[in-house]
Amino acid sequence: MPSHNIASTETIAHRICPLCEACCGLELRVRDNQVIGIRGHAEDVFSRGYICPKGASLKDLHDDPDRLRTPLIKRDGRFVQASWEDAFDEIARRLPPIMQAHGNDAVASVIGNPSAHKIGLLMYFSRLGKALGSRNFFSASTLDQMPKQLSCGLMFGNWLSFPVPDIERTEFLLIIGANPIVSNGSLWTVPDYRGKAKAMRARGGRIAVIDPRRTETAAAADEHHFIRPGTDVFLLLGMVHALFDEQLVRLGRIADHLNGVEAVRSAVQDFTPELMAPRCGIDAATIRALARRLAATERAAVYGRMGTCTQEYGTLCSWLIDVLNALTGHLDQEGGAMFAKAPAFAANTMGKPGIGKGVTTGRRKSRVSGAPEVMGEFPIVCLAEEIETPGEGQVRALITIAGNPVLSAPNGGRLSAALDSLEFMVSVDIYLNETTRHADVILPGLSPLEDLHYDMAFPQFSYRNHARYSEPVLQRDPSHPPEWQILLRLAAIAQGRGAGADVHAMDDALFAEDVRRLAGEHADAVISALSHLNGPERQIDLALRMGPYGDQFGRNPGGINLQKLKAAPAGIDLGPLQPRIPEMLRTPSGKVELAPEILLEDLSRVRGALAQAVPPLVIIGRRQVRSCNSWMHNLPMLAKGPYRCTALIHPQDAQKFGLRDGGKVRIGSGGRTIEAVVEFSEDMMPGVLSLPHGWGHDMPGTRMAVAAERPGSNLNAVLDESRRDPLSGNAVLSGVAVEVTAIA
């Protein structure tokens, strides 16, 4: 018989991009279980076709030969491939004896940023944490966002109730220490910020940026003001003072829902713009002018991000930003700073509206340095000392999940040495990186293209309300368990059930417990209605159906559920942000707490710092569109192009320190040094050096070939792990004094 070449069929699939907080909708061309093209999904109700280089690099990630696909076990100091059964057996053999001999606290866990985009990890990590029963939990939150979570928890009663700019109706936007053109929002999910900002300016709106670098966002704004890194709190206090001093306070619609206005007035009475100006480097006239414009504009918002969080006054800055929004009548107002209403998983849509338990911190303190617990975790900068220090509760084993703290946390050298001293370490990760190289067992996660997805967190602070779901794009190897099953198996081992526990039975039992707490007498009917699903899909459907837009299991036939989302690859638009105070509040008083006592008390640190001398040179990080997390440096599409791990410095400073454009510089702090390539830039504020975060891929024992070709310099290697915001525990990554020396 003659042979015939049958052309394979090309199909179109859709996926929410999992590589940054913008969560853009992607359209993928697929043939023979391979992706052959990626572009923005033009009909996506949320991102509307926008895409950045990260989204297009998903094919590189999936095809990366360095991405782990089988478990690894360390034998005689070297990793060897292993079966899943052997890997779990090894964990079952070594982990429970440590817990039995030394207690549950002897096992710590760390979870990293990528887990926020992996529904199985994010949803089931709590199952693992409960099974471990350890108080030693750490996450990347204390490297970037815990101050905002704490301030919002204290003010609004929930850790994730973030007010975000209603940018499509805003007339004046003040951005402090953030670069949304590059990030497309951070704790503000706003794909194509550039396009939205351009539209805002076209309708007469204005944007002002406060930053020690003339960032991409600042360059596209109407005005930019340099500020000394780490001094945002002085600017913000000066602005709040100006509002009271010039009788500009207008509380607007939520006046009856605010507690503490007079307490704030009293607390800021000494922080005049004239006194704040020398400390922050912005003159008093500008401070007052910004306050006046904010108060005079009908629809305005203040937004701050990394620069305001990663400093020693991070929680105060995060609080004062929302104090400004509230005092000018822009909190929960159209065009101001508003609250999203997420379709699922948002605590501020569940339970009795308008009142709740609020948040509690400091229920326990870390064993060595006494850092208070916040949101159930300790500062990640405390991990090394908890491993190193002998005594009851010493960390002897570690489980890391999609995290690389050796590279992303201050003084990774100390942490690296501490990891080497552990009795046992397990990592769930797709790479053999600077952290997982210390593990005894590595369990690889799935490629995002092989996994289903629903964003749990990001709809809670999106610029517009929406619901979207992603089916797996490519078929996974049937022998490779999904991440939710990996975590449940680890949980079973921690509970002494062994490596062969029935994870499906575990999942059924845990789900039934959750439903009975949630649905009471209707629990059996709900469990029956969802019996055709398991794992994350079952929990997603439950959350959607019982959420604010849900079908309520038939009581609201027009409502949404998972089936409807699966039938809508472009997502379901749920409309613009709407005023939500008081129903979204979960504070015990049922009001916005404008003056939490622990924040007012912390102002004493600010008073004590007013007379501090300004260091000759300080260092800050830098966000880059092609570099969100350290593992992205291994993707050819993102790694190509000009060398980007450069130390930006103003030519005036370069001349002072004898540096040459394109030459090398040694950067030191606290006795630790790194070397970097110098790049002159008049976009830098004099006295400030900038180096991007997440580089330094020159450590032995890793398996990231592309990243190793241009390893870059690790900014965090010179930072002091003992410096943190005392309220939130967040690491101080910005405004740290450094010394520089030219390298011949």
Side-chain angles (χ1 to χ4, degrees):
M1 295 178 61
S3 61
H4 297 281
N5 292 324
I6 301 175
S8 57
T9 303
E10 181 178 308
T11 59
I12 299 296
H14 297 96
R15 178 57 159 92
I16 302 168
C17 180
L19 300 184
C20 83
E21 291 187 37
C23 304
C24 300
L26 306 178
E27 184 174 285
L28 301 93
R29 295 165 49 222
V30 180
R31 183 187 300 140
D32 297 332
N33 205 41
Q34 293 184 341
V35 171
I36 59 175
I38 301 177
R39 65 183 181 184
H41 185 193
E43 296 180 4
D44 187 274
V45 299
F46 186 62
S47 58
R48 304 172 187 173
Y50 178 78
I51 188 174
C52 83
K54 291 190 289 294
S57 74
L58 266 180
K59 175 177 169 56
D60 279 3
L61 176 61
H62 181 79
D63 295 337
D64 189 352
D66 288 335
R67 182 172 64 83
L68 301 180
R69 291 161 172 81
T70 59
L72 299 179
I73 298 178
K74 190 174 287 180
R75 302 291 191 200
D76 298 322
R78 299 183 63 184
F79 283 110
V80 297
Q81 291 189 359
S83 68
W84 285 95
E85 291 77 11
D86 286 347
F88 284 119
D89 283 344
E90 180 76 359
I91 298 167
R93 182 176 70 85
R94 298 182 62 182
L95 184 64
I98 295 172
M99 299 176 68
Q100 291 163 10
H102 304 287
N104 292 353
D105 288 343
V107 182
S109 57
V110 173
I111 191 164
N113 278 338
S115 63
H117 301 273
K118 298 285 281 182
I119 186 72
L121 296 180
L122 195 60
M123 188 173 281
Y124 280 79
F125 179 78
S126 60
R127 309 286 205 206
L128 173 59
K130 186 174 181 181
L132 288 171
S134 172
R135 68 179 201 158
N136 286 312
F137 166 46
F138 307 85
S139 87
S141 292
T142 52
L143 294 172
D144 66 5
Q145 68 190 50
M146 192 60 83
K148 194 65 182 176
Q149 291 174 275
L150 176 55
S151 69
C152 287
L154 294 170
M155 295 179 75
F156 310 119
N158 177 256
W159 304 107
L160 293 182
S161 290
F162 302 146
V164 298
D166 181 24
I167 190 170
E168 294 187 315
R169 295 177 289 195
T170 302
E171 296 168 354
F172 174 55
L173 179 58
L174 177 60
I175 297 174
I176 307 175
N179 191 6
I181 275 186
V182 169
S183 68
N184 284 294
S186 180
L187 303 186
W188 175 31
T189 297
V190 55
D192 191 20
Y193 164 85
R194 184 190 294 272
K196 293 175 177 61
K198 184 177 180 181
M200 175 185 165
R201 296 178 71 199
R203 65 176 184 265
R206 291 293 178 263
I207 301 171
V209 175
I210 311 291
D211 203 287
R213 180 170 75 92
R214 190 172 184 265
T215 63
E216 295 84 348
T217 299
D222 297 282
E223 61 185 271
H224 167 237
H225 304 280
F226 284 130
I227 186 170
R228 291 195 183 101
T231 67
D232 307 78
V233 68
F234 301 98
L235 164 70
L236 293 165
L237 284 168
M239 290 182 65
V240 174
H241 181 282
L243 292 176
F244 286 112
D245 183 49
E246 300 185 23
Q247 300 180 17
L248 300 173
V249 173
R250 303 286 186 270
L251 302 180
R253 185 189 67 81
I254 65 168
D256 292 339
H257 305 292
L258 292 175
N259 269 347
V261 175
E262 290 306 311
V264 172
R265 181 198 301 269
S266 176
V268 303
Q269 62 183 348
D270 296 332
F271 297 106
T272 67
E274 290 70 24
L275 187 60
M276 300 297 101
R279 193 69 180 84
C280 67
I282 298 178
D283 62 79
T286 300
I287 295 174
R288 289 185 179 274
L290 288 169
R292 290 173 192 145
R293 191 183 316 174
L294 192 63
T297 306
E298 183 178 355
R299 298 183 173 190
V302 186
Y303 166 69
R305 190 48 195 103
M306 287 292 287
T308 61
C309 284
T310 56
Q311 57 168 285
E312 56 188 324
Y313 303 109
T315 306
L316 287 178
C317 289
S318 299
W319 163 61
L320 289 166
I321 285 168
D322 289 325
V323 167
L324 283 172
N325 284 320
L327 294 180
T328 52
H330 300 312
L331 182 64
D332 202 42
Q333 176 207 38
E334 287 187 10
M338 304 189 75
F339 299 91
K341 181 181 256 186
F345 302 111
N348 65 22
T349 65
M350 294 186 281
K352 185 177 180 180
I355 198 166
K357 295 182 179 178
V359 301
T360 303
T361 67
R363 292 169 293 183
R364 54 188 181 274
K365 295 184 183 296
S366 66
R367 181 178 63 101
V368 179
S369 62
E373 159 272 333
V374 179
M375 202 176 160
E377 62 184 89
F378 291 130
I380 200 166
V381 291
C382 295
L383 177 58
E385 65 186 23
E386 293 294 333
I387 298 171
E388 297 165 344
T389 308
E392 185 177 352
Q394 179 183 6
V395 171
R396 298 169 183 269
L398 178 67
I399 299 175
T400 70
I401 298 173
N404 192 4
V406 167
L407 213 60
S408 61
N411 196 4
R414 179 184 180 186
L415 179 58
S416 182
L419 297 183
D420 270 339
S421 71
L422 289 167
E423 295 179 24
F424 188 57
M425 177 173 165
V426 178
S427 291
V428 180
D429 208 290
I430 60 174
Y431 281 111
L432 178 51
N433 61 28
E434 292 78 10
T435 296
T436 63
R437 67 190 175 123
H438 296 279
D440 296 283
V441 179
I442 305 178
L443 305 173
L446 290 172
S447 157
L449 297 180
E450 298 169 330
D451 206 0
L452 62 89
H453 187 64
Y454 179 91
D455 280 318
M456 288 181 67
F458 303 113
Q460 299 186 52
F461 36 90
S462 292
Y463 82 97
R464 187 177 181 89
N465 295 316
H466 68 285
R468 297 178 299 163
Y469 175 82
S470 292
E471 299 267 22
V473 174
L474 304 177
Q475 295 179 359
R476 66 176 172 88
D477 181 340
S479 68
H480 192 143
E483 281 121 336
W484 67 272
Q485 293 184 20
I486 294 173
L487 296 194
L488 277 187
R489 198 165 296 280
L490 291 175
I493 291 171
Q495 291 173 330
R497 302 189 190 188
D502 184 342
V503 293
H504 290 282
M506 284 181 65
D507 188 43
D508 289 343
L510 291 168
F511 180 74
E513 288 178 15
D514 291 344
V515 174
R516 290 196 166 88
R517 282 194 298 269
L518 188 65
E521 63 183 16
H522 304 291
D524 288 340
V526 170
I527 292 170
S528 176
L530 297 172
S531 61
H532 61 294
L533 300 172
N534 65 10
E537 280 198 326
R538 179 163 54 182
Q539 295 191 54
I540 294 167
D541 201 18
L542 173 67
L544 286 169
R545 299 181 76 169
M546 297 191 72
Y549 310 93
D551 69 1
Q552 304 299 313
F553 290 92
R555 286 179 292 176
N556 177 26
I560 64 174
N561 54 38
L562 182 57
Q563 183 179 3
K564 288 185 179 180
L565 271 194
K566 287 184 174 183
I572 297 175
D573 180 36
L574 299 172
L577 306 185
Q578 300 293 331
R580 293 195 59 202
I581 290 176
E583 59 87 7
M584 54 72 57
L585 296 174
R586 293 297 183 270
T587 55
S589 67
K591 294 191 176 185
V592 176
E593 296 296 346
L594 212 59
E597 191 62 32
I598 66 169
L599 301 183
L600 298 185
E601 292 173 354
D602 198 40
L603 289 175
S604 62
R605 285 196 302 130
V606 181
R607 292 186 179 91
L610 279 171
Q612 284 182 356
V614 177
L617 189 67
V618 298
I619 197 166
I620 61 172
R622 184 163 83 247
R623 184 68 180 260
Q624 297 174 320
V625 71
R626 293 175 177 268
S627 174
C628 186
N629 289 301
S630 61
W631 51 268
M632 292 185 185
H633 302 149
N634 211 56
L635 307 183
M637 179 174 289
L638 300 183
K640 68 182 180 181
Y643 183 71
R644 287 180 286 273
C645 188
T646 57
L648 294 186
I649 191 167
H650 193 281
Q652 173 183 311
D653 287 326
Q655 183 178 14
K656 182 192 307 182
F657 296 109
L659 305 180
R660 178 175 55 86
D661 194 15
K664 283 198 168 185
V665 61
R666 182 172 293 108
I667 304 168
S669 180
R672 296 179 295 275
T673 63
I674 56 174
E675 295 180 3
V677 176
V678 176
E679 181 179 352
F680 288 5
S681 175
E682 294 191 355
D683 289 335
M684 293 303 303
M685 181 180 185
V688 182
L689 182 74
S690 173
L691 196 65
H693 166 86
W695 296 80
H697 304 286
D698 53 1
M699 298 182 189
T702 63
R703 195 180 299 170
M704 299 179 70
V706 173
E709 290 175 5
R710 296 196 290 184
S713 309
N714 184 7
L715 162 65
N716 295 316
V718 298
L719 300 181
D720 183 352
E721 73 277 21
S722 68
R723 291 190 62 187
R724 58 182 182 265
D725 168 24
L727 298 184
S728 67
N730 207 88
V732 175
L733 308 176
S734 182
V736 176
V738 292
E739 299 174 346
V740 296
T741 306
I743 300 175

